[in-house]
Amino acid sequence: MENRGLDPVPDEERTGRVRTLFPTWVTANMTVLLLTVGAGLTVFNGLNLWQVLAVAVTAPLLAFSLVGLVSIAGKRGGAPGMALSRAVFGQRGNLLPGALLWVARWGWETVNAVTGAFALLAVLDLMLGVRRTSTLALAALAAFVAAGFLVSGIGIRALRVCCGASAYLFGGASAVVLVHLAVTTPWRAVLDRPAGPAALMVAGAGTLAAGGISWVPSAPDFARYLPRTASAKAMVGATVGGAVVTVGPMVAMGAVMAVGAPGLAVTEDPVAFIGELLPAWISVPYLLIAVVGMVMINAMSMYSAGFTAQTLGFPVSRGWAVGVNALISVLLGGWLLVVATGFLDAFLTFLALLGVTFSAWIGVFGVDLLRGRVYDAEALMDTTASSAYWYTAGFRLSAVVSWAAALVVGLLFVRAQWLTGPLAATWIGRNGLGWASSALVAAGLYAVLSGPVGGERRVSP
């Protein structure tokens, strides 16, 4: 069991391998919600198969290039992402983005847990004819979250082993589904679809990338056990490769399925619909393996969220911090399952807000990283005024101001179920690029406002 919390990993314990990043980021994208996204690109955006494929490759390439870049901070500092963020925002200033990212992480875990519960219920229905009830749904949710808590509570070794196994299982199951679709799909109807507007390709890529960039602040958490000599290019390549080989086929599968069953794009239960599209001998094992994959997504998210809770000052061990997030997932997931309506609308709205929330942090942290920061392990853990990262009353004003301004700008462009910004009707807003504007504003402001970090040694990225 991993007992290390925020404290940086010493060099003698850095025995990780870059190749482990590939199955890690394959697993991080193993959600059947990508099928729904692919169906939406066909049904709502009117894209043909070639356009969907372009979106399905471009979005993860963009988002996970950022994930790979920020993971370099993990090998440099040996600490979790939100602990390293103290060097950028200051010991107190880091509490602001940290709190917001922690709350955003609740939402991601909740959406994924509910999807996993849907998958368990779909399997029970297909195999045993057991119909969904509120009690059964809550039981499935609790079992799903408990499994994720177990893996994340054990720590990084369990995550590595489980990510590797689930990546192979899910890859094999997806290959079977692809072969089935290749044989049964009315390809003339698929290939004869006219091309959709280029603007809607941009919008689709923006929505899909927004989900991917939510992993950026977590990237150092899974790279901090890599030796300092690990190749930065190999880290980025393994990260991007793991995402592209998962997101591309999943989104394309959803687009192909939607030609014959457009209801996949609007279903409120995005998992049970798969049982109607695939024969039982494929759908049951596929959904079971998908549950394993989504458990791992939640395990990875809870693992990172535990570190974020610790950076906020909660005096608990890493395991207990993970438990707090697990409890929150059960409570919010239960509300979404039993009380709330419109799961799909809630999911798309959440993606829009998630992208803006994470992008503001990414813009500041990314510029700081590219300037070659080297992290002071002692200063990271010193939260008093004597810390080298105390700056002005605990705040690095250039970083905090840039982050806050970028967050406001991004929200101005959001057009979602719960929030419509005053600039939502502009080109940026219509195409779901509020997150991109947030990242660019944060990066630009921080580059202008911040001078060299006082006296710290620099390295090339």
Side-chain angles (χ1 to χ4, degrees):
M1 183 171 182
E2 182 185 10
N3 294 315
R4 186 174 301 282
L6 299 180
D7 49 313
V9 181
D11 288 347
E12 61 270 18
E13 294 183 25
R14 294 191 179 202
T15 58
R17 296 290 183 268
V18 172
R19 64 174 178 265
T20 62
L21 294 179
F22 181 82
T24 296
W25 297 114
V26 167
T27 303
N29 290 282
M30 287 177 6
T31 171
V32 294
L33 286 174
L34 289 174
L35 297 175
T36 305
V37 173
L41 292 175
T42 296
V43 175
F44 298 131
N45 293 36
L47 305 184
N48 63 23
L49 180 61
W50 309 115
Q51 290 176 309
V52 170
L53 286 172
V55 169
V57 172
T58 301
L61 182 63
L62 172 63
F64 283 88
S65 291
L66 294 174
V67 175
L69 173 65
V70 173
S71 70
I72 297 171
K75 75 150 185 170
R76 283 190 193 168
M82 292 314 297
L84 299 174
S85 184
R86 289 170 167 175
V88 183
F89 291 87
Q91 293 288 359
R92 287 178 174 172
N94 191 53
L95 299 176
L96 301 175
L100 192 57
L101 295 184
W102 191 43
V103 173
R105 187 64 66 194
W106 299 350
W108 181 241
E109 291 165 12
T110 298
V111 167
N112 190 65
V114 170
T115 308
F118 279 149
L120 286 173
L121 294 171
V123 170
L124 289 174
D125 187 11
L126 289 169
M127 292 183 65
L128 305 174
V130 177
R131 296 298 179 183
R132 171 182 168 182
T133 65
S134 296
T135 302
L136 187 60
L138 292 174
L141 175 71
F144 181 92
V145 174
F149 168 66
L150 176 63
V151 176
S152 57
I154 294 174
I156 191 66
R157 290 181 183 273
L159 283 167
R160 285 176 184 164
V161 171
C162 293
C163 282
S166 58
Y168 282 113
L169 285 171
F170 194 75
S174 296
V176 172
V177 174
L178 285 170
V179 170
H180 173 77
L181 291 177
V183 173
T184 60
T185 296
W187 286 107
R188 180 55 56 190
V190 173
L191 298 177
D192 284 349
R193 288 181 62 86
L200 292 182
M201 288 183 66
V202 174
T207 299
L208 191 56
I213 64 172
S214 67
W215 286 109
V216 175
S218 302
D221 306 359
F222 306 103
R224 66 187 188 133
Y225 283 91
L226 297 180
R228 297 180 190 274
T229 55
S231 167
K233 290 182 179 178
M235 291 171 64
V236 175
T239 301
V240 172
V244 170
V245 301
T246 310
V247 175
M250 290 284 289
V251 172
M253 284 163 55
V256 170
M257 289 178 174
V259 173
L264 177 61
V266 296
T267 176
E268 295 301 334
D269 184 345
V271 180
F273 208 86
I274 296 173
E276 302 173 17
L277 298 175
L278 300 173
W281 66 272
I282 294 179
S283 60
V284 171
Y286 182 72
L287 287 174
L288 284 173
I289 294 172
V291 169
V292 174
M294 288 183 286
V295 164
M296 289 308 304
I297 291 175
N298 255 31
M300 290 175 62
S301 183
M302 284 192 283
Y303 180 74
S304 292
F307 293 133
T308 305
Q310 288 182 309
T311 63
L312 296 177
F314 290 98
V316 294
S317 66
R318 187 192 61 80
W320 279 103
V322 170
V324 170
N325 260 67
L327 178 60
I328 292 171
S329 294
V330 171
L331 295 176
L332 293 180
W335 172 78
L336 191 58
L337 274 172
V338 178
V339 178
T341 58
F343 172 77
L344 189 59
D345 290 338
F347 170 64
L348 294 175
T349 296
F350 175 69
L351 278 184
L353 297 176
L354 191 74
V356 171
T357 302
F358 283 84
S359 294
W361 180 90
I362 292 168
V364 174
F365 191 90
V367 167
D368 193 81
L369 177 67
L370 289 173
R371 286 181 168 182
R373 178 181 289 279
V374 173
Y375 301 92
D376 183 330
E378 183 178 344
L380 286 174
M381 300 305 295
D382 182 3
T383 58
T384 69
S386 63
S387 172
Y389 299 139
W390 189 253
Y391 303 118
T392 303
F395 296 83
R396 189 153 190 248
L397 296 179
S398 58
V400 173
V401 169
S402 300
W403 168 79
L407 183 63
V408 171
V409 169
L411 292 175
L412 293 177
F413 293 102
V414 168
R415 179 169 58 180
Q417 184 182 23
W418 308 323
L419 173 68
T420 299
L423 300 179
T426 62
W427 185 88
I428 294 175
R430 292 196 311 272
N431 291 291
L433 296 177
W435 63 270
S437 67
S438 182
L440 291 174
V441 168
L445 271 179
Y446 181 69
V448 171
L449 295 178
S450 63
V453 179
E456 290 188 272
R457 182 166 58 90
R458 304 305 226 164
V459 297
S460 63

